[in-house]
Amino acid sequence: GGGATGYTFGAGDDAVTAAWAGEGGATVEIPTDHDLEVITTDGASTVVSPAKGVASVTVPQGGAFIRSAPTS
């Protein structure tokens, strides 16, 4: 473990955060009222829904991009 590090590009609904973690990955709590799309560096995409204003996102050692999930 050891936590995660990230850098956000853009702002608001257009923001994308590049995040990476140490060995074993890490779970981070992101304050949000919106679903988040997490895209790992191998291209896999998952949507994380917040509970009580916080989304728990797993950041793998290889890194991930996090953004507001597209709406239909």
Side-chain angles (χ1 to χ4, degrees):
T5 302
Y7 186 82
T8 302
F9 301 87
D13 290 342
D14 294 327
V16 175
T17 299
W20 56 96
E23 187 175 340
T27 300
V28 295
E29 306 276 317
I30 300 174
T32 183
D33 291 323
H34 304 286
D35 288 347
L36 298 178
E37 182 178 24
V38 181
I39 305 164
T40 56
T41 54
D42 65 1
S45 173
T46 57
V47 174
V48 177
S49 297
K52 298 182 182 176
V54 177
S56 293
V57 175
T58 300
V59 177
Q61 182 176 352
F65 298 97
I66 303 164
R67 66 178 185 173
S68 289
T71 55
S72 305

